[in-house]
Structure formats: C-alpha cells, structure tokens
Amino acid sequence: MTSTSTPPSTPHSFQVDLRGLVDLLSHHLYSSPRVYVRELLQNAVDAITARHALDPAAEVRIRLSASAGRVTIEDSGIGLTAAEAHSLLATIGRSSKRGGDGADLDEPGLEATRQEFLGQFGIGLLACFVVARQIRVVTRSARDPQAAPVEWLATDDGSYTVRELPHEARPEPGTTVVLEARPGATEWAAPAKVEELARDYGSLLPYDITFDDGEGGEPRPVTDRPAVWDRAFPTPAARRVALAGHCAQLFGFTPLDSIDLDLPVAGVRGVAYVLPEPTSPAHRAGHRVHLKGMLLTDRADNLLPDWAFFVRAVLDTDTLRPTASRENLYDDETLAAVRDALGARVRGWLAELAASDPERLAAFLQVHHLGVKSMARHDSELLGLMLPWLPFETSDGSMSLQEFAAAHTDIHFTRTVEEFRQIAPIAAAHGLGVINAGYTYDADLLALLPAVRPELKVTELDAGAVTERLDPVPTTTELALAPFLATARTRLEAQGCDVVLRAFQPVSVPALYLDDRQARQERDRTAALESADSLWRGILGSLRGSAPRARLVLNHNNPLIRRIAALPDEALTGTAVESLYGQALLMSQRPLRPADSTLLNRAFLGLLEWATHSTDARDAQEDQK
C-alpha cells in the first residue's frame, strides 16, 4: 500500500484595513474620540513605569501640549529600538508590556512590575487614529544606550515608515508622540479641550504631568495628588467641607454626607457621596472609577449594589479588571466581592449614624428612606437597627414602626393607598391601628416585622376587623330598621355586597365600603363562574369559599342615613342605598366593574327622576291653589 502525505500549509498573515479598523474603534469599541488622550497618557505612564523598573533613579517627565491642530506628548520613559518600533507599534494585539514571547519583560524586575501597567490590550497608538491623520513617534531606548533614536511615522491610510535618526535628534531616552488632527476632528486637538480631557483622565496618575498650550506661559499641572479622600485635614469638619467641594466640582451637587470606601485588601480607595434629593430605585447611578490613577469610566453602573441608588461613588482601584475598551468594569467574581464589601461600608455608615448622630440620620432618611427600606428587606440586622427611624404612614399619623407598635400590638395594614385613605380617619377615631402598605417596600417590611418584634401581630386589614371596632347600634333600633336593611341588602345582593348598620366617627361619613382580599377573590371566582363552560363551571363551583363578602357599613350617626331609613317609598329607599354604595365605592377609589358602573348610572338617573317628579307634583299643587 502506498501512503501519501499532505504537504505542509504555508502560513499567511491577516491583512488589516486600517481605515476599517479605525471605524470599528471609533464607532463600536470606544464611546467617543476623547479616549485618544487617555491612550497617549497611558502609553507615557507605562513607559515611565518600565523605565523605573530598569533604573529607579531615572527622572520622571511627562509633558503634554497642543496648538494649531497638533497634539504632542513627551515622556522620559523606557523608549524603543528600531526593531521594537517595527514589532510593537505596527502589530495589532502586541504590547511592549506583554512578555511571554521574549518581548520587553526579560529585564530583571520587569515581570514584577507588569501589574503596574495600565494597558492590557496592545491596541496602543492605533486608537489615536480616531482623531489623527498622521502619527509621528520619535523614541530612544533606555535599555540599549548605544541604540540610535528611531522615528516611526504612520498615516491613516495604513502605511508607516521606520528610520534611525542621528543621536543628537534625541540625546536622552524617552519618547515623543506628535498627532496631526485629521479634517473634521480638529475640535479634539484644541488646547482647551486637550487640557480638559487630560485633567479628567489623568488627575490621579502617579507621575507629575504638565500641559502647555503653546502661548508662552508656564506649563500647568494636570495631576492633582493625593486624591482628596487621602489628604490630611486639621479637623473632620474641614475634611467634610473639602469632600463636599470635590463632589460639587465632580458631580454638580452638594452631598448630604460622604462615606469612605476604603478596602485596602481589594486595592480600593474612594468615597461615596449621598445625593441631596430623592431618586428612583430603578435609576442606576453612574459611578466614577479610576484604574491605577487613570480614569476608566464615569458611568460604572455595576460598582455598588442596586439598593445603594442614593449615592454616587468615585474611587481608584488597582485590582478590578477593565473591559476591552477600558471604559467600564468587567463583571467578574472580583467585582462581585468588591461590590458586596462596598455595600457593607454603606450599611456600616448608616449604623454609625444611628448610634452617634441621629440628627444627620434623620436628615438622610427624610430624603432617602426608600433606599433604606429596600436594604432592610434583605437585612434583618439593619431592619432592627433602622426600626426606630424608618417613617410609615399610619392611622395615627406619620411615625416609625417602633412608635406605632408602642400604641398598637395588633397592627393592620392596607395594600393600597386608596384603601388606607378611606379607612384611616375612621380607624383613628376608633383606636384601630392601620398602616399604609401601599408604598414601595412597606408590605415586605411589615411581613418581616414579627421576626424582629415577635410580640407584634401583623395582619392585612379585613372588613370584619373594622366592623368589630365600630360601635353597634342598640338592638331595638336595629330591629326597628330591619325593613330598611332588608331593602338595602336586596338592592346590593347583585353586587356581592352585604349591608350592616353601625355608629362611628366622623359623623360626616354616611357610608363606608369595606373589602378584603378574600372577598375580592370570591367575586373574581363568581365572575369567572358566570362566563365558564359546563366543565369549568363545575370546577369553579366546587371552589366556593366561605369568605365574607364586601360590606357597605351605614353610619347611624349620620343624619342623611336616618332620613333615608325613614323614607316611606321602598323604591326610593333602594335608589338612595344604591347611591350611597356608589359614593362609598368612588371614595375608596377602587376600579369600577361594569356592574358597578351600571348601578351608578341607574341610581343617578333614578334620583333625577324622583327630584323632577317631586317638583312637578309641587307645581301641580300650587296650580290647584
């Protein structure tokens, strides 16, 4: 048998369209052309870091300048040889910081400093083509003192040249990068814009950076170290004032307070500023994150737990991973652990306020009680801690659960704001403790209350509980009004509503409509039964419950109720009862069913007919006279 072998394949390199790549970078990887300043600063800082690993005594110099559509940055960093310029500046995905292939980490101590570099993705100067038509790099290597300076010149059509220069072209090691802005991008090369971006990105970088606008003045500092949260102040009050000013400059508001976010183990230092105005829990705040001093993003929405929506944070980290665009944080296990730890710091700040500064805590809760309630749902310790402070709307007024529980061991709650507002005046007059749980998180917290205070009983308000608290009328009175009550019950039978007579305050309320979840479920079952086929009618019929129906409670203290009860005309009495039912239903602000709307229309027209008939009868009597 004769065997044949496949000839080896010839390797080929990918051909890269630089214009297409620049379009990809500017429209899909980076959110804005502004990132080119970050890339320039990053390369300079990394070059200085590499130079210091080689020579700790080397000078540090980074100078940025801009004028006439040209941006220049000069550093005293590690520099490049001609071979490195070919290999590193012209090859996508390579980095002078990468190592592992014999690149630039072979020198002693350089591997140990690799983690100090800001860049990790090797795209480097190519990102500058989002604003530049030409990039010129003049560099001299610090590793090889005998190597000549090198010029690398590239244009946005994808071509580049590399040539050696005379030694006097650059006597000292380091690199100078010059960008020529392309048409349509000159605004990004304006001196004011370049300085603004440099300060925004580089204010916390570890090396001094200066900016020169080319107008002959002294270069201005770009960096502002140490960060305000790391500076020493004579008093805590002075520190709070400085932090408030920093927040106003950075975020545009004066904070209620500031929270230190110091996690040395995780390499995180920073501060969270408490918003002075309420904000929606659904709002995901943008936090400001620096990576090794370089601004990574001012829109990080995954840095803090969702419940901490009442703060804006700014911090510096050297452990969290950036995304490929270096414009956000990579959501991995490390970030999850840091997020939990930062959330613990916010909780700790609340605990400290509760223990030592109740006035500041009260001021905070007045604005952000919703956020604390959100936290307390998942943290029983925090719920117990905040219980004396969290405000609730109750039948006794706005107060904390602890204050309310001191007056009521049996606590009832309503699930809707409308139901609470209807029942609150009557409950307060008759000593019934009711809490409005119609607001966000309140029902969840009330369900957790017995776990913190076992002696308390918390139940949803039902019609029976309210009726039992209202004063009964004398038996003789109720017997005398039996025909009236029978007429009322007959008229409201179709609505699934019972009628009871009680005496309660305030007198101005003629009737009260009481409903509960069980009654609503029974009505829904009955409605479904009427429209079901024979099979489902049998199933739903077997589910009939013994739950009480809704109740219309008539107030015997109200003069109108007494007059209606004394009417001799049964038809008019029935119409009046239907009107009372409709008015009580509207006061409760519940959605009206079609049957309820029909009843309201019928009652309204019936009263109009009675009123006009009475007027006609009186006119006829006057005519006879």
Side-chain angles (χ1 to χ4, degrees), residues 55-381:
D55 179 9
E59 70 167 326
V60 173
R61 184 182 71 256
I62 301 177
R63 182 168 178 169
L64 182 66
S65 61
S67 63
R70 175 180 295 176
V71 178
T72 303
I73 187 166
E74 181 183 2
D75 68 70
S76 58
I78 194 68
L80 298 172
T81 64
E84 290 167 346
H86 271 293
S87 175
L88 302 174
L89 293 178
T91 305
I92 298 171
R94 296 287 299 280
S95 171
S96 62
K97 306 172 285 286
R98 177 162 301 189
D101 58 358
D104 295 330
L105 294 178
D106 292 337
E107 297 289 344
L110 287 184
E111 180 65 40
T113 61
R114 176 182 174 187
Q115 62 179 354
E116 300 299 325
F117 292 111
L118 300 173
Q120 296 291 330
F121 300 97
I123 294 175
L125 285 176
L126 284 178
C128 295
F129 277 117
V130 298
V131 298
R133 66 175 182 84
Q134 177 181 281
I135 300 175
R136 181 174 183 261
V137 179
V138 176
T139 181
R140 184 166 186 172
S141 175
R143 296 195 186 97
D144 184 359
Q146 304 304 317
V150 177
E151 178 193 68
W152 180 87
L153 183 65
T155 58
D156 60 0
D157 63 2
S159 63
Y160 74 94
T161 60
V162 178
R163 67 187 178 104
E164 293 189 352
L165 302 175
H167 283 268
E168 58 269 18
R170 186 173 184 96
E172 300 295 331
T175 301
T176 300
V177 180
V178 182
L179 306 184
E180 297 284 350
R182 58 181 172 80
T186 53
E187 62 177 297
W188 296 104
K193 173 62 72 174
V194 174
E195 183 176 14
E196 174 194 341
L197 294 177
R199 292 182 188 279
D200 197 37
Y201 280 115
S203 62
L204 299 184
L205 286 172
Y207 307 120
D208 290 337
I209 301 171
T210 60
F211 177 79
D212 185 354
D213 59 10
E215 296 184 359
E218 285 293 320
R220 296 183 288 272
V222 169
T223 47
D224 185 21
R225 302 186 318 275
V228 64
W229 54 81
D230 283 330
R231 297 174 189 172
F233 294 94
T235 64
R239 185 174 189 270
R240 282 198 297 270
V241 171
L243 288 173
H246 177 251
C247 177
Q249 181 181 13
L250 205 60
F251 295 125
F253 65 85
T254 301
L256 281 178
D257 209 342
S258 58
I259 308 168
D260 283 320
L261 303 177
D262 183 10
L263 303 174
V265 175
V268 172
R269 285 283 295 157
V271 63
Y273 295 115
V274 181
L275 293 167
E277 297 178 351
T279 185
S280 167
H283 174 67
R284 297 177 68 86
H287 306 293
R288 190 175 176 89
V289 179
H290 296 257
L291 180 61
K292 301 181 179 71
M294 180 73 76
L295 177 66
L296 183 72
T297 180
D298 57 5
R299 296 188 297 273
D301 58 4
N302 55 357
L303 181 64
L304 291 176
D306 290 342
W307 52 256
F309 56 83
F310 50 85
V311 299
R312 293 283 299 277
V314 53
L315 56 80
D316 189 22
T317 175
D318 56 15
T319 59
L320 299 178
R321 290 176 56 196
T323 58
S325 65
R326 294 198 292 279
E327 293 189 290
N328 213 332
L329 292 170
Y330 188 77
D331 210 336
D332 55 9
E333 293 181 359
T334 302
L335 178 58
V338 168
R339 183 163 50 236
D340 290 343
L342 294 177
R345 287 301 170 94
V346 177
R347 284 197 301 268
W349 168 77
L350 285 171
E352 182 180 350
L353 287 188
S356 61
D357 202 337
E359 289 186 2
R360 285 170 64 197
L361 178 64
F364 165 75
L365 287 177
Q366 186 176 4
V367 178
H368 293 297
H369 60 273
L370 200 59
V372 178
K373 287 181 177 181
S374 174
M375 285 190 290
R377 292 181 305 151
H378 308 293
D379 192 329
S380 59
E381 182 179 351

Side-chain angles (χ1 to χ4, degrees), residues 418 422 492 495 497 511-515 523 550-552 577-600:
E418 293 77 18
Q422 183 196 23
L492 298 184
Q495 312 305 122
C497 182
L512 175 66
Y513 180 83
L514 296 177
D515 201 0
R523 279 202 310 275
R551 296 183 183 184
L552 181 68
V577 169
E578 289 180 339
S579 299
L580 290 170
Y581 170 83
Q583 187 266 349
L585 203 60
L586 291 174
M587 290 296 294
S588 71
Q589 300 186 35
R590 289 178 173 83
L592 295 180
R593 297 170 297 166
D596 295 329
S597 299
T598 301
L599 178 143
L600 279 171

